Amino acid sequence: MQDHSVKGAKAVISREALQELMEVLAAGNYRVLGPKVRDGAIVYDEIAQAQDLPAGWTDRQEAGRYHLERREDEALFGFAVGPQSWKQFLHPPIETLWTARQGDDCISITTGRPETPRFAFIGVRACELHAIAIQDRVFLDGPYRDVAYGMRRQDAFIVAVNCGEAGGTCFCASMGTGPKADGGFDLALTELIDAARHEFLVEVGSEAGGDLLDWLPHRFASSADLLAAEAVIARTQNAMGRKLETDGLKELLQGNLTHPRWDEVAERCLACGNCTSVCPTCFCTTVEDHSDLMGSSAERIRKWDSCFTMDFSYIHGGSVRKTGSSRYRQWMTHKLASWIDQFGTSGCVGCGRCITWCPVGIDITAEAAAIRATPQATKGEPHGGT
Ligand code: SF4
Ligand code: SF4
């Protein structure tokens, strides 16, 4: 019998065994989440059975465009990433920090009790594993550890999927974050589908993953299976819809803070913040206090914020970034340049969501390329930045 306790061990399971995988996770008190079709998109939601997965669906993505199409086969993971990321579960859009209630002779304050289910994420893509690793660094590694994030993250069981389809806006290959999952998972699947079979190559990424694989009916992975899985990944790698030249990009952006392209992009940008909402690494939040009309209770909540709003940079007397150009520049230079100074890695994993879900189709790869094509090599105080 093969030893699955070894990281990197591989086996093959059938499509039917995916149902058992989900049942074993549910029996282990995991809240099983994965992709499903809803409202014309593939979103992440509760999945009770393998039938809930988007069998036979794929997506077509371009700047400002997304739609679903039927595939010619019944692949379960034959699409790229959708509008949502796993961020919504680990770093929820709204969270109560504390509530206060007026009693007869005192005010009682209760701190928020974050929901901390044991998450099992099914179908996490390589770029999303990198995004989770980036958020781990932001929330857990700094001097101020986010306890609620840590509680949600610590027990999460991750079933990754190596991509078999590159989206039209994907550029993970440029960012070194995909399409093959290279760590940060418990199990990683590669879907092997053709006229003769529908199976999954499974790679073990942790002891918990190996234990789970032992519960599933599986067979030895032959060299033909390994080659077939490599071919899936190579095909995806060669079909990337976009490319971002990263050589010297940090210096290029930080040296072009007054480039006229920032004004040009601002004429198109609606400052809607879609790009920050869909981005799996954006983590900024604001804090709001609410009270009821009687003044008998109040709560403080934390919710996602966006550097595209005027309020985001409001300090006494006004906003620091009043112009659209300064806000777009802030977002893009943070993502691709100063994030590296701050966290030692780019803030972009090349998932392409900000391109697909931008209502006017602004493309971060095209904006970076435009500045690279006409560098101004100016340093110093940016114009319009205040
Ligand atoms: S900046 Fe855009 S492409 Fe990069 S991780 Fe965020 S949403 Fe994905
Ligand atoms: S770049 Fe696009 S998605 Fe982002 S704020 Fe501007 S219009 Fe909205």
Side-chain angles (χ1 to χ4, degrees), residues 159-181:
V159 180
V161 168
N162 293 317
C163 288
E165 286 286 338
T169 55
C170 290
F171 56 100
C172 64
S174 307
M175 306 308 291
T177 55
K180 184 180 186 316

Side-chain angles (χ1 to χ4, degrees), residues 52-127:
D52 293 339
L53 294 166
W57 286 102
T58 193
D59 50 21
R60 296 282 171 242
Q61 302 196 36
E62 265 311 321
R65 288 162 176 239
Y66 177 98
H67 73 269
L68 297 184
E69 272 179 16
R70 292 301 304 186
R71 293 173 58 91
E72 287 177 0
D73 59 22
E74 288 297 304
L76 298 177
F77 298 99
F79 48 86
V81 294
Q84 298 176 337
S85 68
W86 306 99
K87 175 173 89 170
Q88 66 182 310
F89 303 110
L90 296 173
H91 173 44
I94 297 183
E95 191 161 22
T96 302
L97 298 179
W98 52 258
T99 53
R101 282 183 210 294
Q102 174 87 60
D104 288 341
D105 52 6
C106 68
I107 295 173
S108 58
I109 296 178
T110 332
T111 52
R113 288 200 188 83
E115 254 195 280
T116 52
R118 299 177 82 199
F119 288 122
F121 297 153
I122 311 284
V124 182
R125 306 312 178 103
C127 63

Side-chain angles (χ1 to χ4, degrees), residues 81 127 131 134 169 171 175 274-276 278-282 331 335-336 346-355 364-365:
V81 294
C127 63
I134 287 172
T169 55
F171 56 100
M175 306 308 291
N274 267 19
C275 46
T276 52
V278 296
C279 180
T281 67
C282 277
W331 176 70
K335 201 96 311 224
L336 299 176
S346 171
C348 175
V349 296
C351 72
R353 288 183 177 93
C354 59
I355 306 171
I364 190 172
T365 65

Side-chain angles (χ1 to χ4, degrees), residues 268-275 308 328 354 357-360 362:
R268 289 175 283 138
C269 176
L270 308 174
C272 65
N274 267 19
C275 46
F308 280 91
Y328 187 87
C354 59
W357 297 97
C358 172
V360 292
I362 292 172

